[in-house]
Amino acid sequence: MKNIAILGSTGSIGRNGLEVIQQVSGLKLFGISGHRRLDLLESQVQKYSPAMVVASDQELASSYNFPRSEVIRYTEGKSGLKELASHPEVDTVLAAIVGRAGLESTWSAIEAGKTVALANKETLVLAGAQVMKMAQESNATILPVDSEHSAVFQALQTGQPKEINRIILTASGGPFRNLNSEQLKSVTVEQALSHPNWDMGQKITIDSATMMNKALEIIEARWLFGLEPDQIDVVIHPQSIIHSMVEFDDSSVVAQLSPPDMKLPIQYALTYPDRILGPAPRLDFSQAISLELEPPDLDRFPALELGFEVARQGGTTGAVLNAANEMAVSAFLQQKISFNDIVTACREILNQHEFETNPSLEQLISIDLWARKEISKWIA
Ligand code: NAD
Ligand code: MG
């Protein structure tokens, strides 16, 4: 039995993770965390009976009446998250908090040498070099949950790391794949929130519409697989069935295919190296399936270029891009800025920042704060 902790069980990845754990043999839920939706957290406690529960928003938690229990340990706040992430009884941590808020708890799991099933890509964008170094020191294993990186990880098992020529990340192109620059100027929040293939949290859904999600994934792949940025390519694949590919030195391209559903990559990270019967849907080859692939348009989706730039430069750029994007997405959701402003704002703040090649984690945390302040001024 593997004991699993889910950081962010009330989110889209977290809820899929609970289903996987319930339906796959050999996995046992140890603990969960939720931030604001405490009623949902409570219903998860009743349904899945974890040993430990963290309500991470301290203020909300203090006024919420969780039922007292002899067998369930309730904790609160950031310290509760860290306690769950590094708990001696936990084998694998599903890091599924969204954004920079996931940094400290993901870091704690890595520091404690856990196996980390990583959905929280922002932690790698913000502090990829530091996180990978810590994982090496603590002997932690980081397994990708992001579907593209899971696909690359699976394809990589057909060759050796030194035989990789490049990886090709697929991108659905989001809801605005076919809009021209003029049309992109006036898209609404509601349109941006309706993704054609995936049902996800709000932040990553907007990131998919701007293609910032692919930019973050380029940076994520750079650190996760230790690749040179020019070994990473992006191709538009509207059906989201080919989840990504690896091209080896002999020119063979190996791809991983499955319907667009996060249960498979979550399950693979939790059961690795085993493949077990689980709840993920199967491809139906009795129906015609068309698979289109086309190059991305960097003019209409300038976020991609930012991803490559940050992957090349490293240092403090990832922290700045991530913070600026989180703030800009939230401003767009509140209808304070337009859709195209999101990437423009990120570009502005990146240009303004004072670059540091080898920042410490503390420096990255303060540059994240700096970027948030700067972008607030820009938005105002
Ligand atoms: P979501 O918004 O649905 O869920 C976010 C979770 O984080 C919730 O459980 C919430 O309670 C928690 N949270 C939010 N703010 C917090 C804070 N300040 N402190 C502690 N916890 C907090 O998001 P999601 O779509 O499940 O995405 C989660 C992560 O997985 C993101 O990093 C995303 O990029 C990544 N991811 C998601 C998908 C997907 O299909 N949803 C696919 C690939 C990667
Ligand atoms: Mg992805």
Side-chain angles (χ1 to χ4, degrees), residues 132 149 167 169 216-229 232 310-314:
M132 297 314 286
H149 304 70
I167 66 168
L169 301 176
L216 303 181
E217 291 183 354
I218 292 166
I219 304 162
E220 179 184 13
R222 185 248 173 282
W223 295 116
L224 207 51
F225 303 116
L227 298 169
E228 293 302 321
I232 304 171
V310 167
R312 264 181 241 119
Q313 290 172 5

Side-chain angles (χ1 to χ4, degrees), residues 69-89:
S69 165
E70 299 276 295
V71 286
I72 302 173
R73 172 162 161 64
Y74 286 95
T75 63
E76 291 171 11
K78 284 194 169 177
S79 60
L81 283 176
K82 287 189 187 175
E83 188 187 335
L84 175 57
S86 60
H87 197 284
E89 284 182 53

Side-chain angles (χ1 to χ4, degrees), residues 8 10-13 35 56 96 98 101 119-122 146 200-201 262:
T10 52
S12 162
I13 292 288
H35 201 60
S56 49
V98 59
N120 177 226
K121 67 188 88 182
E122 293 90 347
D146 217 345
M200 311 180 284
M262 288 307 294

Side-chain angles (χ1 to χ4, degrees), residues 162-310:
K162 64 173 197 300
E163 297 165 345
I164 306 170
N165 183 42
R166 58 174 177 153
I167 66 168
I168 303 106
L169 301 176
T170 54
S172 71
F176 306 140
R177 180 170 57 92
N178 293 320
L179 297 196
N180 61 36
S181 307
E182 208 41 48
Q183 292 169 314
L184 280 172
K185 282 184 190 158
S186 55
V187 297
T188 64
V189 169
E190 198 189 353
Q191 289 168 323
L193 281 176
S194 49
H195 196 283
N197 304 347
W198 297 96
D199 179 13
M200 311 180 284
Q202 284 200 336
K203 192 245 174 197
I204 184 174
T205 304
I206 302 300
D207 286 349
S208 300
T210 56
M211 292 203 65
M212 185 61 83
N213 184 47
K214 214 48 56 181
L216 303 181
E217 291 183 354
I218 292 166
I219 304 162
E220 179 184 13
R222 185 248 173 282
W223 295 116
L224 207 51
F225 303 116
L227 298 169
E228 293 302 321
D230 63 7
Q231 288 180 292
I232 304 171
D233 274 340
V234 172
V235 63
I236 303 294
H237 168 51
Q239 291 82 13
S240 299
I241 288 175
I242 302 173
H243 294 296
S244 280
M245 302 173 264
V246 177
E247 184 188 83
F248 291 97
D249 283 339
D250 61 1
S251 84
S252 187
V253 175
V254 180
Q256 185 266 332
L257 284 72
S258 53
D261 189 300
M262 288 307 294
K263 286 192 275 299
L264 179 59
I266 293 169
Q267 171 175 326
Y268 191 61
L270 297 182
T271 64
Y272 175 79
D274 300 324
R275 292 187 181 273
I276 303 174
L277 185 68
R282 287 170 195 275
L283 282 174
D284 177 5
F285 291 103
S286 69
Q287 307 291 319
I289 299 175
S290 66
L291 301 173
E292 294 163 273
L293 296 163
E294 65 190 42
D297 181 345
L298 296 180
D299 291 333
R300 281 186 303 130
F301 295 101
L304 278 180
E305 196 47 53
L306 286 181
F308 283 113
E309 241 174 77
V310 167

